[in-house]
Amino acid sequence: MPQHRSNPERLKRSRIFYSLLVVFIVLIISMLIWALNALILPVIIGLISAYIAMPALNWLIRQRVPKAAGVAILFGGFIFVVFVIGRQVISLFPDEKEQLELRVNIQYKIHENFSEFLASDSTQSGVGMVNILFGQELKPMFTTVTGFLSLNEEEEAKLFKYGVYSSDNAKPIKPSTIRRYDELKKLGYSNIGNTEKKNEAQIKQFNPLGISPGNSRIAALLSAISNWLITPFVFIFVLFDDGEIKQFLFDLVPNRYFEMALTTADNVDKAIGGYLRGTLLESTLVGLSFILGLLIVGFDLQAALMIGIVAGIANAIPFLGPVIGLVVGVSYALIVENIDPIIPFLSGDNAIVAVVITVAVVQLLDNAYFSPVILGKAVNLHPLVVILGVSGGSILFGFIGMLFAIPTIVIMNVIISTLYKQLKAYYIIY
């Protein structure tokens, strides 16, 4: 009898102990995530890469390839992607000299197009109707954009330095760019006197991979490698794992909840596997479609590759992906001087229209074929949930939060729905 009387007390103490233990573990994990936030993305990329490569490893094992050899083959492919393709991708992005040239040309083109737009129906004796209707609303936005692009004193000095041929500057900035800058400066588009540099948070916002800006692309590559050194180790250890990680996690689950935990893990595995592999293939096809479309429009290969890669990666973000691809494409179309289109009636004057048509065709292909056939029903979420998830991820973690918001919601959705069904099936809840 005394033992029976003590059971409720033991149960109460056990619940308090386990509740405090869970709170303690959550606090520790939260502190570690906060302190080691720079390692979160490399670890996630390593896990996702291993997860995507797991079917290939299983196939190699079924072909009687030793597991160690299979992992070595896949790791070689991983290194190829990271170093060879990664280096090519970094080479597509402009260095300091090219950034200055791009900023001047974009600012000049924006000024030119904006002025033409406001004066589209004006006469010598009056102000155009377009200016009357839209001028007051568009001018503050125009001022903000051109102010962001304007060069300060330090950047102006670098622009003129890069505009002069020297032994270490074999390819100087075009004289037309210098002339455009002089015209812009006469018109008052300048940040001279404002030598403050962008703060680190602002730089990180537009630099999610942590690649340091500078003249040397090799230095940028080495900087990226140092930040991502843990990724290949995560990739290897996950592929070599024979279920020890899963077994360790299941050992923490009480026996009465074992089958429920096993079912939940299996459903999560199917959902996230289908989503990741489907999204990877869908984004690849979207990126390739962008590249092909822009080459047909007449963009050079480097520009088409850069825009296609950005659009393909951004396509993983619902709703915002096409907008990002459109903005990047239109930004380049604003500054392109000459294009060599396969379609004869296109020219540099209507490059923006060509980009818009390309984006529309690619999105039509994505919505009509890529997404329903490849991705299927892997993401069965309400559009409002998707919008709120992407917005919340952006607020919390910037671009990376936007990118991983949907897979996180997919995992949580599967876990909650499966646990709810299992708890009811086992009569744990009503």
Side-chain angles (χ1 to χ4, degrees), residues 94-120:
D95 58 18
E96 185 180 52
K97 178 172 66 176
E98 293 166 340
Q99 287 176 23
L100 293 173
E101 192 167 15
L102 279 172
R103 284 171 61 183
V104 171
N105 288 323
I106 290 175
Q107 189 179 20
Y108 183 84
K109 284 288 185 177
I110 289 176
H111 162 74
E112 189 177 58
N113 285 278
F114 183 74
S115 301
E116 289 178 1
F117 176 72
L118 291 184
S120 58

Side-chain angles (χ1 to χ4, degrees), residues 349-415:
D349 295 332
N350 50 22
I352 295 176
V353 177
V355 169
V356 173
I357 294 173
T358 301
V359 173
V361 171
V362 172
Q363 285 308 304
L364 181 63
L365 284 171
D366 186 29
N367 295 328
Y369 183 76
F370 298 158
S371 182
V373 174
I374 296 170
L375 197 58
K377 295 182 179 180
V379 182
N380 190 18
L381 299 174
H382 193 279
L384 182 59
V385 174
V386 174
I387 293 173
L388 291 176
V390 172
S391 301
S394 173
I395 293 171
L396 293 174
F397 301 105
F399 180 78
I400 302 303
M402 295 168 61
L403 201 59
F404 291 105
I406 301 307
T408 303
I409 293 174
V410 168
I411 293 174
M412 297 305 299
N413 181 48
V414 172
I415 290 175

Side-chain angles (χ1 to χ4, degrees), residues 71-350:
V71 172
I73 292 171
L74 293 174
F75 182 68
F78 182 81
I79 293 297
F80 175 82
V81 171
V82 172
F83 286 92
V84 179
I85 297 181
R87 183 178 178 182
Q88 294 301 317
V89 169
I90 290 176
S91 69
L92 295 175
F93 291 90
D95 58 18
E96 185 180 52
K97 178 172 66 176
E98 293 166 340
Q99 287 176 23
L100 293 173
E101 192 167 15
L102 279 172
R103 284 171 61 183
V104 171
N105 288 323
I106 290 175
Q107 189 179 20
Y108 183 84
K109 284 288 185 177
I110 289 176
H111 162 74
E112 189 177 58
N113 285 278
F114 183 74
S115 301
E116 289 178 1
F117 176 72
L118 291 184
S120 58
D121 62 344
S122 63
T123 62
Q124 292 182 353
S125 59
V127 180
M129 185 61 67
V130 175
N131 198 347
I132 294 173
L133 293 176
F134 304 107
Q136 296 302 317
E137 287 75 19
L138 293 177
K139 284 178 181 177
M141 186 186 305
F142 169 75
T143 303
T144 301
V145 173
T146 54
F148 179 78
L149 293 170
S150 297
L151 307 186
N152 58 33
E153 291 178 357
E154 181 182 349
E155 291 166 336
E156 181 189 80
K158 290 180 179 179
L159 178 74
F160 287 114
K161 184 187 77 171
Y162 289 133
V164 178
Y165 176 82
S166 62
S167 57
D168 59 343
N169 185 26
K171 190 178 179 181
I173 288 178
K174 297 177 183 177
S176 60
T177 303
I178 303 297
R179 286 196 299 271
R180 285 179 173 180
Y181 179 75
D182 289 335
E183 290 181 31
L184 289 170
K185 194 173 179 181
K186 290 177 183 177
L187 292 169
Y189 299 116
S190 176
N191 270 339
I192 301 301
N194 179 17
T195 57
E196 292 184 5
K197 298 182 179 179
K198 295 180 178 65
N199 58 56
E200 293 183 5
Q202 194 174 9
I203 292 173
K204 289 180 180 179
Q205 182 180 357
F206 296 96
N207 189 21
L209 298 181
I211 299 174
S212 302
N215 296 331
S216 174
R217 289 176 176 142
I218 296 177
L221 179 63
L222 292 175
S223 175
I225 291 172
S226 66
N227 292 335
W228 290 70
L229 197 59
I230 193 173
T231 304
F233 290 101
V234 174
F235 179 83
I236 293 174
F237 290 138
V238 172
L239 287 183
F240 266 119
D241 178 66
D242 287 321
E244 290 90 349
I245 298 176
K246 185 183 291 186
Q247 185 62 46
F248 170 76
L249 295 175
F250 281 135
D251 287 341
L252 300 176
V253 179
N255 289 333
R256 62 181 297 194
Y257 303 124
F258 180 78
E259 290 186 14
M260 182 171 57
L262 190 64
T263 303
T264 303
D266 185 57
N267 289 344
V268 169
D269 180 69
K270 290 178 181 177
I272 199 65
Y275 172 79
L276 289 177
R277 296 181 186 107
T279 301
L280 177 65
L281 182 56
E282 181 196 7
S283 297
T284 301
L285 290 173
V286 167
L288 290 174
S289 300
F290 258 99
I291 293 171
L292 180 61
L294 294 175
L295 289 175
I296 293 174
V297 166
F299 284 19
D300 62 71
L301 181 60
Q302 182 179 7
L305 283 173
M306 184 181 71
I307 297 170
I309 290 170
V310 172
I313 294 173
N315 192 71
I317 306 172
F319 302 112
L320 290 179
V323 176
I324 294 173
L326 178 64
V327 170
V328 175
V330 169
S331 298
Y332 181 80
L334 279 171
I335 63 169
V336 67
E337 296 290 339
N338 295 304
I339 60 176
D340 186 19
I342 296 176
I343 303 174
F345 59 83
L346 292 177
S347 66
D349 295 332
N350 50 22

Side-chain angles (χ1 to χ4, degrees), residues 30-43:
S30 301
M31 291 173 63
L32 287 175
I33 291 175
W34 180 264
L36 304 175
N37 63 85
L39 296 178
I40 294 175
L41 184 59
V43 170

